[in-house]
Amino acid sequence: MYFVDRAVAVIKPKQAFADWLNAVPDNDMELSLDSLRADSTVILIPEFNEPEEGVAYIDEIFEQLFAMELSSWYDDPSLWPQDRSLKTFWEWFDVEIHSTLIDSVDADLNNAPLE
């Protein structure tokens, strides 16, 4: 096992996200908050000394995170909410910050940029 020089943020939808998702006209399924939170997005973030530094980093990249979460359901931005402010991001998502990341796989990581 290997220490990785990153921290982790887990992005978990809140009820406001579930409400939006279930209200989208194209959506033909009712999704519960529990089902949405069962398999959350995990991102690597820079190492930090204080948890507040991890939160500050999320604040810096919230627009990308918000768009990533919305586009994972609908590619068409016209279906996205108009208000995608930092305040709305924090109303729509919980973010868990974890300082220790261990790689249990003895193989190189493959990186590819998000499109």
Side-chain angles (χ1 to χ4, degrees):
M1 291 197 202
Y2 306 92
F3 282 100
V4 179
D5 63 346
R6 299 283 187 274
V8 174
V10 182
I11 315 299
K12 293 187 173 195
K14 289 183 179 179
Q15 189 61 51
F17 181 86
D19 292 345
W20 164 76
L21 187 57
N22 288 319
V24 172
D26 293 13
N27 187 5
D28 58 354
M29 61 186 146
E30 184 76 16
L31 297 163
S32 72
L33 182 59
D34 287 340
S35 68
L36 292 172
R37 292 173 67 99
D39 186 18
S40 300
T41 301
V42 178
I43 65 166
L44 299 179
I45 62 174
E47 287 183 297
F48 54 82
N49 293 322
E50 300 294 330
E52 294 80 11
E53 294 174 60
V55 172
Y57 183 77
I58 296 299
D59 284 351
E60 291 175 22
I61 63 168
F62 87 91
E63 291 170 318
Q64 293 168 282
L65 295 174
F66 213 157
M68 180 182 67
E69 290 295 325
L70 297 171
S71 69
S72 70
W73 291 95
Y74 292 101
D75 289 333
D76 182 359
S78 70
L79 297 173
W80 297 359
Q82 292 297 308
D83 181 3
R84 295 189 299 272
S85 64
L86 179 61
K87 180 180 183 285
T88 301
F89 175 82
W90 286 107
E91 290 170 353
W92 282 38
F93 300 97
D94 282 324
V95 179
E96 294 178 2
I97 306 289
H98 302 276
S99 62
T100 304
L101 178 61
I102 307 292
D103 188 348
S104 67
V105 179
D106 190 16
D108 290 337
L109 293 172
N110 294 318
N111 293 328
L114 286 177
E115 295 180 20

